[in-house]
Amino acid sequence: MKADIGVIGLAVMGQNLILNINDKGFTVAVYNRTITKVDRFLNKEAKGRETIRGTYDIQQFCSMLKRPRKIMLMIKAGKAIDDFVEQLLPFLTPGDVIIDGGNSFFGDTIRRTYYLRDKGINFVGTGISGGEEGARHGPSIMPGGEYEAWPLIKDIFQSICAHTPQGQPCCNWVGSDGAGHYVKMVHNGIEYGDMQLISEAYSLMNGLLKLSHSQMADIFDKWNSTELQSYLIEITARIMQHKDNDGKVLLEKILDKAGQKGTGKWTSVNSLDINVPVTLITEAVYARILSSLKAERVKAAGFFETSEFDFTGDVDSFISDIKDALLASKIISYAQGFMLLKAAAKTYSWKLDFGDIALMWREGCIIRSSFLGKINDAFQNNPALESLLFDPYFSTIIKSAQQSWRKVVSTAFNAGISVPAFASALTFFDSYRSAKLPSNLIQAQRDYFGAHTYERTDAPEGQFFHTNWTGTGGDTSAGSYQV
Ligand code: 6PG
């Protein structure tokens, strides 16, 4: 019997996804560039599973698949995808589907979709989130690309993905060409933001309030049964308690230099490209970069030593302030993320369903949380919602958390504890809710030194003026570049 789907790539994500697909009753053909891995997998993880079939060259692999063929690449993003596409092409027929399940850059996915469309092949770029566990037992899946492929893969994807508590699949068609990988990129950016915010909460509880790890574990545990419920809070509670072989908390032995593979950076770069103020994610990316300057930081710590700040307030009430600051900042981060998705839909002509995206992230992925259920509700109630900040549920939380949030940021500033994400969220909030900003002065300065022109409050928008500020400048204005 021919296979329902073929998977190329037997690294841990590929292996786990194959086992998951097979558990759901589908026959899978598998192939790996290093052939020895095929037999190793068949004799170990896939032992006894007759409906997982090993293949040893690309031609044999393609001939084992039901038509139209469905081929999933679970390999490293980048050139390897293009290489495998070229190797597959001679053995494919029009109507076949190639799926890229890696963390590919959405621009590459757009390019590949059009390249393969010319050859009659349906290309799908899909985000898959949830790490190894997710791949094995139910990830969040975000497919985009050639829509014709969707009815062919829908059944498989929606049976292997995670499901919401109400039973809805955390996988739906996202949109054309690079939309699936774009949404996964934003997911990762938000993941960076969430992780930075949680780390700042830890820094305040540990550095300022001097709480022990077991106390912090209890707090994160408690928070996990509130509006903050999420996978990242849950694992943070567990990390706080994890002991090294010598019985000491492992966390404090881990070097404070955060790594990254680039998807958070892509989100920030793209936000600059399409003019969306995604400040929190960008701050989180910079925080990781700054953390990596360990040697310089150690030097600067000696250079700018400050006296210890004694916290004199009520500890329990400050813990509750931190919780409010975390929640309010998280709302800002997601509001920015959805602003980005909205602008991307316009820029790249994608029909994105924001409620659906929240639902896809509700379970299975790294940012999974009950909070995403509320975001889904917000877009269900108003699909044209301008910003999450205008949704009654979120605006009510922000309003009631505001004082605590300000207290946390100002206390951290006074104590000299770095809280870039909490502070950037609050700064964004204060700018966003300002009917008047000092940008009139920037316009005046631009016009003063470079005749860049300005608009006036007492004239219709779009009408530009230039002033001869010094009396010696000319009346000619420079061309204006509007973002
Ligand atoms: C996921 C994750 C995953 C990501 C890692 C590492 O959704 O399962 O987002 O795709 O690659 O979390 O990311 P960094 O190394 O950039 O932190």
Side-chain angles (χ1 to χ4, degrees), residues 13 103 128-131 184 187-188 191-192 195 259-264 288 365-366:
M13 286 292 284
N103 263 338
I128 301 181
S129 177
K184 174 64 182 12
H187 162 282
N188 280 27
E191 174 185 307
Y192 277 49
M195 291 165 82
Q260 54 177 321
K261 295 197 192 70
T263 45
R288 287 195 189 193
C365 64
I366 305 295

Side-chain angles (χ1 to χ4, degrees), residues 310-344:
D310 275 331
F311 181 80
T312 50
D314 180 73
V315 171
D316 284 336
S317 101
F318 197 69
I319 292 169
S320 144
D321 291 335
I322 297 173
K323 179 189 167 250
D324 284 351
L326 180 51
L327 186 56
S329 304
K330 185 169 163 134
I331 293 172
I332 297 295
S333 180
Y334 283 68
Q336 293 180 347
F338 278 88
M339 279 167 79
L340 183 64
L341 290 172
K342 202 167 193 172

